[in-house]
Amino acid sequence: MDLVLEGFQTRVTEAMNEDLTQKITEQEIYNAVFSINAESAPGPDGFTAAFFQTHWNLVKNQIMADIMDFFDTGILPEEWNHTHLCLIPKIPNPERMSDIRPISLCSVLYKIVSKILSARLKKHLPAIVSPTQSAFVAERLASDNILLAHEIIHNLRTNDKISREFMMFKTDMSKAYDRVEWPFLQGILKALGFSSQWIGWLMAVSLLFLIQYWLMVNLMVISYHKEVSDREIRYHRFCLSSVLKHLLIS
């Protein structure tokens, strides 16, 4: 892994890390709680965001203490990671997994932590994410790549000078969900320059093998599963884009 990440460009500055890891404020927790859709389906504990928002004066002190305790210790309570995996049919009589859309129903406390982390990271993304990545970044569209590819191919076909000096190749992303080990993910975050405290927070809320699932079909819980992982996860294709660019440039 060290060889793969050798020469990886650091993009997170010390000032960014200080901002990302500064003490959590009550206002951040409040904003996170009230940014959650009140009508979202509840997790295994049965509580929706509407409950916390409606009875905020009653639960405020306990929620504040619990959330701040996580950011102080970096330890996520096990019950916060309990998740209902709900299978929603796309057609009246589904027969294959492709006929079903799975969604994860997480606890509100887990969502609050995730909201805080994402809100802090969001303002630094323009300086971290490559300007050539057009997906999963605000005010950028993946469809822009289609127009760009069309123009490149057109110039390669019609301009003799460009066709002699440049080339274009297409990578097959159909097998994009290859397995990536957790140490590799940690290595990428470290190579980008994120502090160990920030990486610890992210890994605490992201470690798949700590999540406990209850499978739901037709709104009924039918099975329980605790992920016992070999430290491998399935990655979305765009998560590896910066690594692929680094390897190609190297």
Side-chain angles (χ1 to χ4, degrees):
M1 182 175 67
D2 293 337
L3 181 61
V4 172
L5 298 178
E6 184 179 354
F8 204 88
Q9 181 181 1
T10 299
R11 297 179 182 177
V12 182
T13 65
E14 184 176 345
M16 290 181 186
N17 275 320
E18 290 179 359
D19 181 64
L20 290 171
T21 58
Q22 64 180 308
K23 187 173 179 60
I24 299 297
T25 65
E26 292 188 359
Q27 187 62 45
E28 284 183 290
I29 298 175
Y30 176 88
N31 292 341
V33 171
F34 285 85
S35 67
I36 302 173
N37 186 351
E39 298 180 355
S40 293
D45 59 9
F47 290 102
T48 65
F51 170 81
F52 292 89
Q53 295 168 3
T54 303
H55 304 288
W56 181 242
N57 291 334
L58 294 176
V59 302
K60 172 184 175 181
N61 293 336
Q62 185 63 52
I63 297 301
M64 293 283 186
D66 289 344
I67 298 299
M68 288 184 176
D69 183 66
F70 162 74
F71 283 102
D72 288 338
T73 64
I75 300 175
L76 191 73
E78 182 179 338
E79 61 271 16
W80 292 13
N81 251 337
H82 292 180
T83 303
H84 275 163
L85 187 62
C86 184
L87 305 181
I88 301 177
K90 298 178 182 178
I91 59 177
N93 298 302
E95 297 180 354
R96 299 173 296 178
M97 284 303 300
S98 58
D99 298 331
I100 297 174
R101 180 168 66 92
I103 61 172
S104 296
L105 307 181
C106 308
S107 68
V108 173
L109 290 171
Y110 181 91
K111 292 179 181 179
I112 293 172
V113 173
S114 299
K115 289 277 188 181
I116 294 173
L117 292 174
S118 61
R120 285 196 169 191
L121 182 61
K122 183 178 180 180
K123 55 186 175 182
H124 297 296
L125 283 180
I128 299 173
V129 177
S130 170
T132 59
Q133 179 173 322
S134 57
F136 304 105
V137 179
E139 299 182 359
R140 300 187 193 178
L141 298 174
S143 57
D144 291 344
N145 287 340
I146 300 175
L147 300 176
L148 179 61
H150 177 79
E151 291 298 322
I152 293 175
I153 294 174
H154 175 74
N155 280 283
L156 285 172
R157 287 178 174 176
T158 59
N159 191 307
D160 292 337
K161 185 176 185 298
I162 292 179
S163 62
R164 288 194 301 268
E165 298 179 2
F166 297 92
M167 64 177 291
M168 178 180 180
F169 65 92
K170 177 182 179 296
T171 56
D172 183 9
M173 304 300 286
S174 62
K175 297 181 180 179
Y177 295 91
D178 292 336
R179 293 185 174 183
V180 181
E181 293 187 351
W182 284 107
F184 179 75
L185 176 58
Q186 289 178 297
I188 290 295
L189 294 173
K190 185 177 180 180
L192 285 172
F194 286 105
S195 69
S196 58
Q197 184 177 9
W198 177 259
I199 295 174
W201 287 346
L202 291 181
M203 299 306 291
V205 299
S206 304
L207 285 176
L208 188 64
F209 54 82
L210 296 180
I211 300 177
Q212 297 183 6
Y213 291 102
W214 280 263
L215 187 63
M216 295 184 68
V217 178
N218 294 331
L219 302 181
M220 296 181 60
V221 179
I222 63 173
S223 67
Y224 162 80
H225 172 64
K226 182 173 182 179
E227 181 72 24
V228 182
S229 171
D230 55 356
R231 297 187 306 171
E232 293 184 336
I233 58 174
R234 294 193 179 278
Y235 241 32
H236 193 282
R237 59 185 180 278
F238 290 108
C239 295
L240 288 175
S241 59
S242 59
V243 181
L244 291 174
K245 291 173 188 173
H246 169 69
L247 292 176
L248 290 173
I249 293 173
S250 300

